[in-house]
Amino acid sequence: MMAAMDERIEKFKEFIGIVGRGEKRAKALSFDAAREAMGMILDGVADPEQRGAFLLACRIRGEDPVEMAGFVAAMQDRFTPLRSEASNLISIGHPYDGREDTFIMGAGATLLAAAAGAKVVLHSAGRVPSKHAPGVADVLQALGLPVHLGTSDAGGFLTAHGFVHVDTRQFMPSWNGQLEIREKIGLRLPFSSAEKLLDPCGCRNVMAGIAHGPYLAKMSGALQQLKVKRGLIVQGLEGSCDLSPQHATRAAEINGEALTEVTIDPKSLGIEPMLEVRAVGADPQVCAALTRDAFELKADERSRGAAEAIALNAAVILWSSGVSADVTSGLEKARATLKSGAAAEMLAALKH
């Protein structure tokens, strides 16, 4: 037993040696090596000192698309799959560590997109380091919807309602073991990118958000390495998938082997910037109340602005999921679904 452990420690030392050799000599791991290294971290094979050294070295060196894809693959290997035969299915990863300053529209956008025909799987975990900030799941919970469904219930919920939130802590218990080191280091580590690219239902259609421009190529490149059929990386609010209703948003679309950078401009889509997302903030109760007002078609400017912002984000989901041919037709469908009252009816029916 001791010899086997020593062998594993020596193996992980090799990985540290590759990523941590210094500014000029450090390299990224291959896909297979990254998959093995992350597997050793998740399974508790690498000891705490090794994990800290490896993860910090990766952060200092900078993230690499192939290596990131290997990290995601290791996580996916340990994820209890969510079975679904639905079409127009998409997995969406908002930042696990949450948002601090801007209106969280992802909850409302998901519900609206589901009411309009998309099948959406959201995934996250509660209050993750280093921000410990609220996210989409907190807003869903404030709306009275379930966010902690177990592995036996989530698939049925998705089939019945067109969306589900998956708590990664339940579907991948080994993921929990790395939270302490994230807390102690207090910096963004490779998990922060990799976990957003998870595909709980194996639909090979993934949408995720980034904060900084250089990650557009890195994360879209990782999705290509993972051979998704379709993907969308969005430079959204605070690293989320949420697009601002006031400013154009950069995104990278993956369609098979093709990769295209696109700009989604709310002004050109006819969105009036009535809502200042920073004035709303990220408090889940406030975001939930404003989402309800938008769904109920309240006539004040704040509610109408929220409705347009949520419709814009639902339009992107409808396009990415394949329900709509483009964002323009997705926006028309989202607006019509809002106006029909279908989203409000769905919300009322799902409250527990």
Side-chain angles (χ1 to χ4, degrees):
M1 177 70 81
M2 184 62 71
M5 182 61 70
D6 289 343
E7 185 177 328
R8 292 172 184 171
I9 290 173
E10 290 301 315
K11 179 65 174 178
F12 202 83
K13 281 169 67 176
E14 293 178 17
F15 296 142
I16 296 172
I18 294 170
V19 301
R21 283 181 178 152
E23 184 178 354
K24 294 183 179 179
R25 297 179 62 205
K27 296 179 181 179
L29 297 178
S30 68
F31 177 90
D32 290 336
R35 190 177 198 165
E36 184 177 1
M38 179 57 75
M40 293 174 76
I41 290 172
L42 293 172
D43 295 342
V45 173
D47 67 30
E49 292 84 358
Q50 287 186 313
R51 280 180 277 160
F54 177 82
L55 294 167
L56 203 50
C58 287
R59 174 185 167 83
I60 293 169
R61 189 212 60 223
E63 288 175 293
D64 172 84
V66 175
E67 184 178 80
M68 190 188 303
F71 292 160
V72 177
M75 292 183 180
Q76 200 76 42
D77 291 341
R78 290 155 179 79
F79 205 102
T80 302
L82 176 66
R83 303 298 182 190
S84 176
E85 300 300 322
S87 57
N88 302 127
L89 189 60
I90 185 170
S91 297
I92 300 182
H94 286 270
Y96 277 36
D97 61 353
R99 304 256 290 277
E100 296 176 322
D101 301 317
T102 51
F103 178 30
I104 300 173
M105 294 168 274
T110 296
L111 292 170
L112 179 54
K119 302 294 185 289
V120 185
V121 178
L122 297 167
H123 56 93
S124 68
R127 305 297 174 112
V128 173
S130 58
K131 287 183 182 177
H132 296 284
V136 170
D138 297 279
V139 180
L140 287 171
Q141 197 162 31
L143 286 166
L145 306 184
V147 296
H148 299 298
L149 293 172
T151 55
S152 60
D153 301 320
F157 191 91
L158 173 63
T159 300
H161 305 296
F163 87 99
V164 71
H165 173 267
V166 169
D167 189 324
T168 298
R169 293 171 296 187
Q170 296 187 48
F171 280 72
M172 184 172 51
S174 60
W175 177 89
N176 293 285
Q178 46 75 39
L179 289 173
E180 183 178 1
I181 198 163
R182 289 168 80 165
E183 187 71 72
K184 288 181 176 179
I185 291 177
L187 297 171
R188 190 180 188 280
L189 297 174
F191 298 106
S192 301
S193 296
E195 62 204 8
K196 289 193 285 188
L197 299 181
L198 285 167
D199 183 9
C201 52
C203 63
R204 295 174 63 202
N205 184 3
V206 175
M207 180 176 173
I210 61 163
H212 306 295
Y215 279 86
L216 206 62
K218 293 178 180 181
M219 290 186 69
S220 58
L223 286 182
Q224 286 186 303
Q225 291 290 325
L226 291 164
K227 301 188 185 314
V228 298
K229 292 180 180 177
R230 183 162 173 75
L232 189 70
I233 303 297
V234 177
Q235 191 176 357
L237 296 167
E238 298 185 70
S240 74
C241 301
D242 283 355
L243 288 77
S244 168
Q246 298 169 305
H247 307 290
T249 297
R250 292 176 64 204
E253 178 194 6
I254 301 98
N255 197 336
E257 295 183 358
L259 174 63
T260 307
E261 185 169 328
V262 297
T263 299
I264 303 170
D265 184 1
K267 185 177 180 181
S268 69
L269 291 166
I271 301 286
E272 292 187 29
M274 294 181 283
L275 186 73
E276 170 52 66
V277 293
R278 292 190 182 277
V280 177
D283 180 274
Q285 295 296 332
V286 173
C287 293
L290 189 53
T291 299
R292 286 192 206 96
D293 290 346
F295 280 14
E296 292 170 6
L297 305 176
K298 291 191 175 179
D300 62 284
E301 185 173 292
R302 182 177 166 97
S303 299
R304 287 188 291 116
E308 281 285 85
I310 290 170
L312 169 65
N313 282 279
V316 174
I317 297 173
L318 291 168
W319 168 52
S320 297
S321 66
V323 172
S324 300
D326 50 37
V327 178
T328 300
S329 58
L331 183 57
E332 292 173 359
K333 192 171 189 66
R335 283 169 167 165
T337 303
L338 259 182
K339 189 175 181 180
S340 73
E345 290 172 8
M346 173 185 280
L347 179 57
L350 286 174
K351 285 183 69 175
H352 65 273

